[in-house]
Amino acid sequence: MGPHPAVAAIRLAVRRVLHDVLTEFHRHADPHRPAGAARPPAPAARSRYAEAGAAGAPALPGRTALPERPDAPLVLVACSGGADSMALASALAFEARKLSVRAGGITVDHNLQHGSDLRAAEVVARLAAMDLDPVEAVAVHVGRDGGPEAAARDARYAALDAAAERHGAAAVLLGHTRDDQAETVLLGLARGSGIRSLSGMAAASGPAGRYRRPFLQLDRQTARKACLVQSIPVWDDPHNTDPAYTRSRLRHEGLPALEKALGKGVVEALARTAQLSRDDADALDTWAAEAELSVRDETGGLECAGLYALPPAVRRRVLRRAVIEAGAPAGSLFARHIEEVDRLITGWRGQRAINLPGRVEAQRQGGRLVIRQS
């Protein structure tokens, strides 16, 4: 008899991602090896637990010996102790045993709740009990820039980036589900920032695609059920039900209201919208990168006549790229900023220079758009 359907679903999702990681890892290790070609077997290595036994240390009960594979890529799971990330950790531990993958885990202590250090230590112990290695807890300081949710996210990703670099990880798995994707799309819609903000979270993102999200096609209930049937203890973060947080209000008030008004299937539709929007946004970004070359003069300046001839969606992307290249922080650049710059092209009436985030200034001079730091 096979595993419970929820367990089978999370394992399959992780297995697919691990195969992608392995393919990319070996392609980079041997760029001349054709894709799909068999690689030589890794040299035999003794289990770290077998070595401990040979040295006279007692065997650890209930743990399966894992061979050391120094030539195999390391994949880390970012684990908060919640159902989504614990389900992800269990699937990674299971699938790594069958593939040439080393598996470890990282939990980030945000220091935002009393006893968070003890909870992080519990998560580390649970990850170690799954035979993940290395496992560690990383404490961070959460600032205030962008609000509490954004500040916590920035601190978390900075810690995960540092951990990935420190351990030489090929990938870091994140437990975002289809429900998280739907929430992200609605938050983007509320900001009115355009199609890119509607594209939600990518299946792979970060430096060289470091972050992987295997569960974007699975709902939150599947992950929780997988933990339940495997008797995996989980922790429910009280912040997830705190109405002080925008995402929490959306999760417990906004989405249920939409489902009541529109019927079931809203989450699936929003997740599908994210993928379609991402495909469109990627295509427009590629078009804009090519179009930018055609609107630059011999000195590299932007020609207003060439910009005016571009479709608005492409032109605004060219302008955004130029403003960011001039030094504006991408996270502080909003649609209204780009609209003001765009009016220098489409509604020119002798306006003065426009001040943008990062002390960047945009102005029109003699048929050219000049963007530079002031």
Side-chain angles (χ1 to χ4, degrees):
M1 183 176 178
H4 186 279
V7 176
I10 65 170
R11 289 177 178 175
L12 177 59
V14 169
R15 188 184 317 144
R16 287 170 172 165
V17 168
L18 292 184
H19 278 299
D20 291 342
V21 171
L22 278 168
T23 299
E24 294 166 15
F25 177 80
H26 295 309
R27 184 181 299 130
H28 293 150
D30 183 7
H32 302 295
R33 186 173 63 88
R39 60 186 294 267
R46 300 176 68 192
S47 160
R48 53 193 169 101
Y49 300 123
E51 289 176 353
L60 298 178
R63 300 180 74 169
T64 303
L66 295 178
E68 292 285 359
R69 290 161 293 187
D71 66 326
L74 171 65
V75 176
L76 299 174
V77 57
C79 187
S80 67
D84 301 341
S85 59
M86 289 302 294
L88 181 58
S90 71
L92 173 62
F94 181 85
E95 293 297 331
R97 294 187 182 99
K98 304 191 297 181
L99 298 169
S100 296
V101 173
R102 293 179 293 132
I106 303 291
T107 187
V108 177
D109 174 10
H110 297 83
N111 284 303
L112 295 177
Q113 300 174 41
H114 178 69
S116 62
D117 56 336
L118 298 178
R119 192 167 298 109
E122 290 176 3
V123 173
V124 165
R126 290 171 186 170
L127 295 177
M130 292 178 181
D131 276 324
L132 298 182
D133 183 26
V135 294
E136 68 172 336
V138 180
V140 299
H141 170 73
V142 177
R144 297 184 179 181
D145 291 347
E149 293 169 280
R153 182 177 60 249
D154 290 345
R156 181 168 57 253
Y157 276 100
L160 293 175
D161 277 334
E165 295 291 341
R166 185 166 59 251
H167 294 290
V172 178
L173 305 189
L174 305 176
H176 297 121
T177 64
R178 186 170 62 193
D179 301 80
D180 297 308
Q181 185 74 298
E183 294 162 7
T184 301
V185 171
L186 283 177
L187 290 170
L189 182 63
R191 286 193 299 268
S193 300
I195 194 171
R196 177 56 73 184
S197 66
L198 297 183
S199 62
M201 296 174 285
S205 64
R210 167 180 291 160
Y211 294 107
R212 308 296 176 107
R213 299 176 175 87
F215 290 175
L216 285 183
Q217 301 302 318
L218 301 177
D219 61 26
R220 192 174 289 139
Q221 192 58 37
T222 297
R224 185 168 288 276
K225 185 66 174 179
C227 289
L228 178 65
V229 300
Q230 295 178 100
S231 299
I232 298 174
V234 300
W235 171 67
D236 290 316
D237 186 347
H239 282 173
N240 291 335
T241 57
D242 187 343
Y245 295 94
T246 304
R247 187 177 286 268
S248 175
R249 295 196 302 273
L250 180 60
R251 179 174 302 176
H252 298 287
E253 300 173 24
L255 270 172
L258 281 175
E259 290 193 333
K260 182 178 180 180
L262 303 176
K264 295 294 183 181
V266 169
V267 168
E268 292 86 344
L270 288 169
R272 187 164 58 251
T273 295
Q275 185 56 60
L276 294 173
S277 297
R278 180 165 295 279
D279 292 342
D280 289 350
D282 288 346
L284 286 168
D285 284 348
T286 300
W287 186 357
E290 296 171 351
E292 183 176 355
L293 300 176
S294 68
V295 297
R296 295 273 187 187
D297 60 22
E298 63 277 1
T299 66
L302 290 167
E303 296 179 331
C304 294
L307 286 167
Y308 185 86
L310 294 175
V314 177
R315 180 175 61 247
R316 291 187 185 119
R317 279 169 167 75
V318 172
L319 296 176
R320 179 180 173 82
R321 285 166 56 95
V323 171
I324 292 174
E325 287 174 4
S332 301
L333 199 59
F334 302 118
R336 58 183 173 82
H337 295 129
I338 302 305
E339 288 170 1
E340 290 179 11
V341 177
D342 194 45
R343 278 195 286 271
L344 295 177
I345 307 300
T346 62
W348 173 242
R349 298 184 305 277
Q351 300 98 309
R352 290 189 294 181
I354 295 171
N355 295 319
L356 300 163
R359 297 176 57 199
V360 172
E361 180 182 88
Q363 62 181 355
R364 182 164 174 160
Q365 293 180 341
R368 295 172 68 245
L369 184 66
V370 179
I371 303 175
R372 62 192 173 199
Q373 282 195 317
S374 58

